[in-house]
Amino acid sequence: MRERGGRRLLLTGAGLAALLLAAALAGPALLPHAPDTQLDPVAARHLPPGSTRLLVTLADGRTLAAERVAPLPGGGLRLTRLGREQHLAASELADAPVRPTRFLLGTDRFGRDLAARLLAGARVSLAVGLAAVAIALTLGIAAGSVAALGGRWLDGVVMRIADAFLAFPRLFLALAAAAFLGPGLPTAIAVLAATGWMGVARLVRAELLSLEGREFAFAARASGLPAGRIFLRHLLPNALTPVFVDAALRLGDTILIEASLSFLGLGIQPPQASWGNLIADGRDALASAWWVAAFPGAALVVAVLAFNLLGEGLRDALDPRRRRPC
Amino acid sequence: MGRYLLRRLAACLLLVWLVLTGTFFLLHLAPGGPGGALEDPRIPSEQRLRWRELWGLDEPLAAQYARFLGAALRGEWGHSFQHHRPVAAVVAGALPATLLLAGAALGVEWTAGLLLGVAAARRPGSLFDELLRFLSLLLYSLPTFWLGLMAVLLFSFRWPLFPPSHLASVGAEALPPLARLADLGAHLVLPALAIGLPSAAALARFVRGSLVETLGQEFVLAARARGLSGRRVLWGHALRASLAPLSQLFGLSLAFLLSGTLAVEVVFAWPGIGRVTFDALAARDYPVVLATTALSATMVVLGSLVADLLLAWADPRVRRA
């Protein structure tokens, strides 16, 4: 029973995560306009989800969002925009100017397509999360190995530093660092990596210490293998399984913290989109345009949930103690 | 026990010192000085120099650090650059609001977490258990600030049941005491739920795991064999035996009390420590940032100490070891 439940979690999580990654990778190809194009700051402002407008492209590249368009003799157009009629001569228009567009998720206050921004945000949020977790894993594995194998003194120093980092609430430390180092994408990655390695280091250290006492490690030492080789070929690979399972859960947490940072204005900076700063945009317009905050948040929840399901499922699948029916 | 306590306290002090030192150098070595009035070109440079002198920013870093530590030991946290008030007053003014919110959130977390966890543990493997597992994973994945915004959207704007922000209504001071209390309660509901529910989900999972393990043990079977009712076995025997790890968890939720409210305080314009810290960070108000950092680090360190002590209290095996 539990095993099947675990597999269901794993499959749901993996499926959702794959879907998100695919959407993020394909992002720009999926939608007709770029995430930071202001389609029509006046007439396309805060359009509710599912609205349809006729986008009229002008000769200078700008677009106007019209409710209705009718041809005029001589190649010009008569458009109804915000309920008012407006005439455009053929010379003011681009080639093949009219394009009906449906805004599936609505638009924001600058008349930008929220769906496009959401996908752009997915790229940023996932990329920041993956990069930060990768760096945190590297740091944590290095620190944990040094602590486990470097002797008592080094162990003490490394673990006390880890404790000090842990004594900071993570969001707090990330906020302070981002505020003082200047916010932005590189800072966000660095700060999340710098506040994410301690758990990994503890895990790696504990695994290595327990593996060191096992018979195969003793056998390897007895057969005269050099210490470095024992570490790299025998101890480390065995220590890494729980670390990678843990990494999926960490990825969810990291994406969540990045979103909090960006929401508070100290993470990814606009106009670059991230789910967190999209929600912050939506906060200011909550009463009049609920979709601007709602959809990016929902995307964030789906992403975090996907990685949590993945991590849970992996842990169920790989940890034999949890597989026993209870 | 006494020696253990002393050693733990010493370790706590060491940690708080490390955190403060880290923050101090992070603040002072970061590019760009304190912003605001100190760098404002519209203010005459003599005035800005005087402020620098007044706040000791012109001394060498080592001297500033020594002075900061000495003052901190005496409980003096200096003057806020931004509020032009003693830091202690700024922090003391914001602390009650945060404690109130965090306390309410803690209540939500433990009530909902215990109930859901026990409910799931009664029939492990059932459809209800599976559903709860998924639901708690979902709740756990919710960012508190977004949950808060959506709660405002639904329960303040769509159906105006609760106020969307602040600690009290305008003019609440003039109300009779009971009405004031009700007003405060209404303001607490949404932010406390936004903070409490995601943590309740995590707690429920933990309670479930711990209870399921206990329910499989022999003394539970023995209690059942003696003819005790299912409810009595569950609440009286099994839950009590699971109390040890749970009490440790309670200490840990104390630890993150102060920091957990930050984003939600910003969403709800709640006048607490989180907002003060956030504003101080934006304004590079060093003394305030250092004081709130010290406070939250102390909470974390003390919270984990309390967690260990509670564990020792609840589990005699740990005490003897």
Side-chain angles (χ1 to χ4, degrees):
Chain A
M1 192 73 208
R2 296 241 357 175
E3 195 182 355
R4 221 174 49 222
R7 188 162 301 158
R8 206 149 48 207
L9 292 185
L10 185 63
L11 288 179
T12 318
L16 279 177
L19 211 66
L20 273 167
L21 279 176
L25 285 176
L30 286 178
L31 287 159
H33 11 253
D36 43 6
T37 314
Q38 303 189 359
L39 297 165
D40 184 339
V42 181
R45 182 175 195 268
H46 282 163
L47 291 179
S51 310
T52 321
R53 288 292 182 276
L54 295 161
L55 282 185
V56 179
T57 311
L58 304 180
D60 59 5
R62 284 185 305 132
T63 50
L64 295 176
E67 292 101 62
R68 275 191 306 280
V69 173
L72 286 174
L77 288 175
R78 185 182 67 203
L79 29 145
T80 316
R81 183 166 161 261
L82 289 174
R84 271 190 226 142
E85 289 204 349
Q86 192 173 350
H87 291 245
L88 289 172
S91 60
E92 294 175 271
L93 295 167
D95 299 332
V98 183
R99 186 165 38 124
T101 306
R102 193 178 154 81
F103 298 100
L104 202 60
L105 303 183
T107 58
D108 71 359
R109 71 191 146 123
F110 295 119
R112 295 176 295 196
D113 185 356
L114 194 60
R117 293 193 67 68
L118 199 78
L119 278 180
R123 287 166 83 87
V124 172
S125 293
L126 292 177
V128 169
L130 285 170
V133 169
I135 299 173
L137 281 183
T138 315
L139 284 175
I141 290 170
S145 307
V146 167
L149 308 172
R152 232 184 116 177
W153 191 81
L154 261 179
D155 186 19
V157 171
V158 171
M159 291 331 279
R160 284 303 82 69
I161 294 175
D163 284 348
F165 268 86
L166 279 171
F168 272 112
R170 191 168 179 200
L171 179 62
F172 218 90
L173 182 58
L175 275 175
F180 287 93
L181 298 176
L185 190 118
T187 317
I189 295 177
V191 158
L192 290 171
T195 54
W197 60 274
M198 300 83 73
V200 183
R202 286 188 154 196
L203 197 61
V204 169
R205 173 178 176 273
E207 284 292 320
L208 283 177
L209 285 180
S210 95
L211 288 171
E212 247 200 327
R214 299 262 288 275
E215 276 170 4
F216 77 93
F218 184 69
R221 277 196 296 274
S223 61
L225 286 178
R229 199 182 145 88
I230 296 180
F231 170 67
L232 277 180
R233 297 292 298 273
H234 297 273
L235 295 178
L236 196 59
N238 280 306
L240 288 186
T241 311
V243 173
F244 285 124
V245 172
D246 189 57
L249 296 170
R250 253 167 228 294
L251 193 53
D253 274 357
T254 307
I255 291 176
L256 214 51
I257 304 253
E258 181 272 319
S260 310
L261 267 184
S262 299
F263 174 74
L264 293 170
L266 288 167
I268 309 301
Q269 297 297 300
Q272 191 169 33
S274 105
W275 288 333
N277 69 30
L278 291 181
I279 299 174
D281 267 357
R283 183 198 168 200
D284 303 329
L286 196 61
S288 54
W290 56 269
W291 52 92
V292 186
F295 290 127
L300 175 62
V301 172
V302 170
V304 176
L305 180 65
F307 292 116
N308 280 340
L309 286 170
L310 194 64
E312 281 278 311
L314 275 177
R315 199 156 60 183
D316 271 14
L318 294 176
D319 186 348
R321 266 170 312 172
R322 286 182 165 246
R323 219 179 292 161
R324 212 185 304 142
C326 41
Chain B
M1 195 68 194
R3 273 193 57 187
Y4 167 77
L5 205 61
L6 271 182
R7 254 203 12 231
R8 283 297 313 255
L9 277 175
C12 288
L13 278 178
L14 180 75
L15 267 183
V16 172
W17 171 71
L18 272 177
V19 166
L20 276 183
T21 306
T23 317
F24 181 88
F25 285 102
L26 179 71
L27 297 193
H28 285 267
L29 293 178
L38 271 181
E39 320 241 305
D40 193 336
R42 287 168 301 182
I43 294 171
S45 54
E46 307 90 73
Q47 175 65 43
R48 282 186 277 152
L49 267 178
R50 246 209 341 268
W51 276 337
R52 280 189 174 278
E53 233 168 87
L54 187 69
W55 292 330
L57 291 172
D58 53 345
E59 291 174 57
L61 201 55
Q64 286 189 45
Y65 176 63
R67 199 164 42 79
F68 159 70
L69 269 192
L73 276 180
R74 291 192 304 273
E76 289 164 22
W77 292 94
H79 241 74
S80 156
F81 298 170
Q82 184 192 7
H83 302 277
H84 298 281
R85 284 199 297 155
V87 172
V90 173
V91 170
L95 198 57
T98 290
L99 287 181
L100 188 68
L101 177 57
L106 206 64
V108 170
E109 177 188 347
W110 280 80
T111 317
L114 272 179
L115 287 177
L116 284 178
V118 170
R122 290 177 72 151
R123 284 174 210 88
S126 66
L127 191 66
F128 179 69
D129 182 32
E130 281 270 314
L131 210 68
L132 266 184
R133 188 175 187 197
F134 187 80
L135 187 78
S136 54
L137 267 177
L138 179 68
L139 265 182
Y140 181 65
S141 307
L142 287 172
T144 53
F145 59 91
W146 185 70
L147 189 58
L149 280 177
M150 293 300 106
V152 167
L153 189 62
L154 290 178
F155 303 113
S156 298
F157 293 162
R158 183 84 178 71
W159 299 289
L161 296 172
F162 299 105
S165 65
H166 294 96
L167 197 141
S169 306
V170 179
E173 303 81 41
L175 293 173
L178 264 183
R180 266 182 81 176
L181 205 64
D183 181 59
L184 181 66
H187 280 86
L188 261 175
V189 172
L190 295 184
L193 284 176
I195 300 170
L197 281 182
S199 348
L203 180 66
R205 300 169 45 73
F206 195 87
V207 170
R208 181 210 171 271
S210 165
L211 254 186
V212 165
E213 201 165 303
T214 316
L215 283 172
Q217 282 180 17
E218 278 166 5
F219 76 88
V220 174
L221 196 67
R224 286 223 173 97
R226 286 203 304 277
L228 294 182
S229 71
R231 186 172 301 165
R232 195 121 172 246
V233 171
L234 188 68
W235 291 96
H237 290 72
L239 193 63
R240 205 163 145 194
S242 309
L243 210 64
L246 290 184
S247 60
Q248 192 177 22
L249 220 61
F250 185 76
L252 289 181
S253 40
L254 284 182
F256 290 92
L257 216 65
L258 279 191
S259 57
T261 60
L262 196 146
V264 170
E265 281 188 14
V266 172
V267 168
F268 285 90
W270 195 264
I273 294 286
R275 259 214 84 85
V276 164
T277 309
F278 182 68
D279 292 344
L281 279 171
R284 292 191 166 222
D285 194 345
Y286 295 163
V288 173
V289 174
L290 280 168
T292 54
T293 306
L295 195 64
S296 67
T298 310
M299 280 296 280
V300 172
V301 168
L302 279 183
S304 20
L305 180 65
V306 170
D308 289 354
L309 291 181
L310 278 175
L311 181 67
W313 166 75
D315 190 341
R317 282 168 304 182
V318 176
R319 206 165 20 197
R320 257 177 254 128

